[in-house]
């Protein structure tokens, strides 16, 4: 018997929960689809930096077996996954109960108390209204190695699975803009820093968007409760505020959260779709943000979350590994014999010749080591509209890393730079470049982060 009936006609996705074996009828303008979750299989990774993790394992993915109109299929719940189209709907798993709040964690979700939490919208509709735009002006996706996506373990922090989307950016450089016309319902007192300086905007149809971590000096003083913001209107600048001060010295960013009828939901699909709507990029190589593995362990690199502009298709995947080898294909299994902080490069190409690069940071743990291990991130600005002769600013935000060098990827000599430092560089030719920041940790273990930079003609 189907006890749950869910309207999936938009303009925002509908969130609903089911226990295993329980079914829901999803109603659209074109008919109905019935879904029933059957089983959940958890995939974990080792984590030895954060205290309080059971068995030193974190959840990296949950594979949810479902029946859709009686046919079995598996939906993957993990950071960076987009909705799938099946049976007349676009469907994704928001979270599962154990991941949402099944153990002591920072910021557990206040929903997801049944086994599986889904979101759904009618097939053919955008995941959010078509007038939603990206929240940072002149931004390029992955112009920093710091990036946390819904459900991912925030690295080198606490037991904290990410809520919202963290978009790494050098503070006080890029404009944060309203994603849609709407009314501010909450903001800090003008000129007075409050927690992480969140600005919450009601954008209609039961949806609210929250923009956080802007520094108070650059947050508009006239943005207060009741202020009407137009789509694309400036709010403030990307920042690093937490607990009312510039506490995020090593992790500057903008955090974006989405609430539907007061339920916090995954903003990632909305952000990806709005990014392609706002910017002309043809394809995004997505290697994953962070990976975790033990010494003498094997980590599977996975490029399947890379995404091309609608109407295009990725046809070629290529991994360039830290040992100099190249692996063709979506997946690459990498064996790590030494502890360290590694960067593995990804190249993707589309059928029409577009190309993009990315890199994942993989922390290889020695379980007996202390927390004094190499870690950190790198950033650059501006992230878009870089042309030959443009001065580009690079930031290193590394901890417990010595003898740091930066390679700009253009054949120029490596330059020494501090672990927490900045440097500028100009490029002579258009093209894609992989910028590498390398050093060594306290036990002489390798440490490296990489980020793609595009110089336009």
């Amino acid at each position: 018997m189907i006890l749950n009936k869910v309207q999936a006609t938009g303009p925002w996705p509908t969130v609903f929960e089911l226990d295993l074996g329980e079914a829901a009828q999803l109603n659209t303008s074109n008919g109905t689809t019935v879904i029933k979750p059957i089983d959940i299989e958890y995939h974990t990774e080792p984590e030895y930096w954060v205290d309080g993790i059971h068995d030193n394992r974190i959840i990296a993915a949950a594979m949810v077996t479902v029946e859709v109109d009686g046919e079995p299929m598996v939906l993957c719940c993990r950071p960076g996954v987009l909705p799938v189209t099946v049976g007349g709907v676009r469907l994704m798993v928001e979270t599962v109960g154990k991941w949402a709040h099944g153990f002591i964690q920072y910021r557990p979700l206040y929903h997801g108390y049944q086994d599986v939490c889904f979101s759904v919208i009618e097939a053919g509709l955008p995941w959010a209204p078509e007038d939603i735009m990206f929240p940072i002006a002149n931004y390029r996706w992955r112009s920093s190695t710091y990036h946390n996506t819904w459900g991912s373990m925030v690295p080198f922090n606490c037991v904290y699975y990410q809520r919202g989307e963290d978009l790494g950016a050098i503070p006080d450089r890029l404009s944060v803009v309203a994603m849609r016309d709407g009314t501010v319902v909450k903001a800090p007192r003008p000129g007075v820093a409050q927690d992480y300086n969140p600005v919450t905007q009601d954008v209609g149809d039961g949806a609210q968007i929250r923009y956080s971590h802007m520094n108070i000096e650059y947050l508009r003083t006239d943005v207060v409760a009741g202020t009407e913001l137009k789509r694309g209107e400036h709010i403030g600048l990307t920042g690093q505020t937490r607990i009312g001060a510039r506490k995020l010295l090593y992790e500057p960013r903008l955090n974006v959260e989405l609430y539907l009828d007061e339920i916090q939901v995954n903003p990632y699909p909305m952000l990806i779709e709005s990014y392609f709507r706002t910017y002309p990029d043809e394809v995004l190589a997505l290697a994953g943000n962070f990976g975790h593995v033990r010494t003498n362990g094997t980590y599977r690199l996975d490029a399947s979350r890379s995404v091309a502009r609608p109407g295009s298709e990725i046809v070629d995947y290529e991994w360039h590994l830290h040992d100099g080898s190249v692996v063709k294909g979506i997946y690459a299994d990498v064996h790590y014999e030494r502890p360290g902080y590694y960067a593995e490069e990804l190249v993707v190409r589309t059928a029409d010749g577009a190309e993009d690069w990315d890199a994942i940071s993989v922390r290889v743990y020695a379980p007996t080591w202390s927390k004094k291990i190499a870690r950190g991130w790198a950033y650059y600005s501006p992230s878009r509209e870089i042309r030959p002769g443009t001065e580009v600013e690079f930031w290193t935000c590394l901890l417990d890393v010595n003898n740091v060098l930066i390679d700009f990827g253009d054949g120029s000599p490596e330059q020494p730079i501090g672990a927490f430092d900045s440097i500028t560089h100009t490029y002579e030719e258009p093209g894609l470049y992989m910028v590498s920041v390398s050093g060594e940790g306290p036990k002489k273990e390798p440490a490296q982060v990489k980020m793609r930079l595009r110089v336009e003609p």
Side-chain angles (χ1 to χ4, degrees):
M1 178 182 296
I2 300 172
L3 301 178
N4 303 278
K5 295 186 178 182
V6 178
Q7 290 299 121
T9 51
W12 293 90
T14 301
V15 180
F16 65 100
E17 299 179 22
L18 295 172
D19 286 324
L20 296 181
E22 185 180 10
Q25 177 180 295
L26 312 179
N27 298 322
T28 72
S29 62
N30 299 316
T32 63
T33 298
V34 176
I35 182 170
K36 179 168 68 173
I38 304 299
D39 186 46
I40 303 171
E41 178 185 334
Y42 289 93
H43 293 191
T44 64
E45 295 179 5
E47 222 294 356
Y48 288 90
W49 198 91
V50 175
D51 296 325
I53 296 178
H54 179 64
D55 290 336
N56 295 110
R57 306 290 299 186
I58 60 172
I59 300 173
M63 310 304 289
V64 182
T65 301
V66 299
E67 289 181 358
V68 179
D69 291 333
E71 295 296 322
M73 67 175 298
V74 177
L75 297 176
C76 178
C77 175
R78 64 171 176 170
V81 168
L82 294 171
V84 298
T85 299
V86 57
V89 296
R90 298 181 70 195
L91 180 70
M92 71 179 300
V93 177
E94 287 277 331
T95 189
V96 292
K98 182 178 176 181
W99 207 340
H101 48 68
F103 39 79
I104 297 174
Q105 57 177 290
Y106 177 68
R107 290 193 71 188
L109 291 172
Y110 293 101
H111 62 285
Y113 285 94
Q114 292 183 254
D115 291 330
V116 186
C117 179
F118 297 93
S119 52
V120 64
I121 200 166
E122 185 173 311
L125 294 180
W127 197 249
E130 286 187 312
D131 59 349
I132 291 283
M133 70 178 296
F134 197 73
I136 306 179
N138 296 317
Y139 187 77
R140 189 174 295 279
W141 197 271
R142 296 287 289 164
S143 53
S144 160
T145 65
Y146 188 87
H147 192 139
N148 294 313
T149 296
W150 175 271
S152 62
M153 171 63 75
V154 177
F156 313 117
N157 196 297
C158 60
V159 186
Y160 177 24
Y161 290 99
Q162 175 68 23
R163 310 304 177 200
E165 192 82 12
D166 279 343
L167 302 165
I170 293 178
D172 309 329
R173 298 291 191 274
L174 298 176
S175 175
V176 177
V177 300
M179 297 185 72
R180 195 187 195 200
D181 291 356
T183 306
V184 175
V185 295
K186 186 176 181 181
R189 289 169 49 200
V192 181
Q194 175 189 343
D195 199 6
Y196 44 92
N197 291 337
V199 174
T200 303
Q201 181 192 19
D202 187 320
V203 294
D205 304 302
Q208 292 187 349
I209 297 172
R210 181 176 296 168
Y211 317 86
S212 300
H213 300 304
M214 293 173 283
N215 295 326
I216 198 68
E217 305 95 307
Y218 298 99
L219 182 58
R220 277 176 46 189
T221 56
D222 60 341
V223 173
V224 296
T227 300
E228 295 290 333
L229 293 174
K230 293 294 184 182
R231 176 181 182 270
E233 186 173 347
H234 174 77
I235 301 171
L237 298 178
T238 53
Q240 57 194 155
T241 294
R242 180 176 179 270
I243 320 179
R246 289 175 176 257
K247 298 283 188 180
L248 300 173
L249 297 178
Y250 289 84
E251 304 156 346
R253 61 194 187 256
L254 176 73
N255 176 267
V256 179
E257 297 179 353
L258 174 63
Y259 296 81
L260 299 178
D261 295 323
E262 300 184 350
I263 296 174
Q264 187 174 12
V265 299
N266 184 353
Y268 182 77
M270 172 188 72
L271 287 166
I272 287 290
E273 290 187 6
S274 69
Y275 183 86
F276 281 117
R277 201 176 291 135
T278 306
Y279 297 117
D281 305 44
E282 290 297 324
V283 61
L284 293 176
L286 299 173
N289 301 334
F290 301 97
H292 311 78
V293 67
R294 284 181 53 154
T295 306
N296 292 317
T298 298
Y299 186 82
R300 167 156 284 195
L301 302 174
D302 181 354
S304 66
R305 288 165 285 186
S306 301
V307 58
R309 176 175 292 278
S312 186
E313 180 185 5
I314 300 173
V315 296
D316 188 39
Y317 300 83
E318 192 173 277
W319 289 98
H320 295 238
L321 305 182
H322 71 276
D323 61 3
S325 61
V326 176
V327 178
K328 292 276 193 178
I330 294 175
Y331 305 104
D333 291 326
V334 185
H335 185 76
Y336 296 92
E337 296 182 356
R338 292 183 63 197
Y341 196 40
Y342 295 86
E344 311 293 5
E345 300 178 34
L346 170 66
V347 178
V348 301
R349 302 178 183 91
T350 66
D352 54 6
E355 182 173 324
D356 194 31
W357 303 351
D358 190 25
I360 182 175
S361 297
V362 179
R363 178 66 239 184
V364 181
Y365 288 101
T368 58
W369 285 13
S370 71
K371 289 190 176 185
K372 197 172 180 62
I373 57 175
R375 59 200 189 279
W377 303 272
Y379 302 73
Y380 65 84
S381 183
S383 60
R384 294 195 81 86
E385 299 182 358
I386 300 172
R387 292 181 170 81
T390 299
E391 186 174 77
V392 183
E393 178 184 18
F394 296 87
W395 273 33
T396 52
C397 298
L398 304 172
L399 297 99
D400 293 315
V401 180
N402 305 306
N403 304 319
V404 182
L405 296 171
I406 184 168
D407 183 340
F408 300 108
D410 59 355
S412 61
E414 290 182 320
Q415 299 292 320
I417 186 172
F420 185 63
D421 204 352
S422 65
I423 193 172
T424 60
H425 184 72
T426 58
Y427 290 83
E428 296 182 359
E429 300 291 338
L432 281 170
Y433 299 92
M434 186 61 79
V435 180
S436 302
V437 180
S438 305
E440 56 184 18
K443 296 183 184 294
K444 307 298 183 181
E445 74 272 22
Q448 186 177 59
V449 294
K450 294 185 176 184
M451 50 191 174
R452 168 269 286 123
L453 182 147
R454 185 182 294 272
V455 179
E456 301 173 19

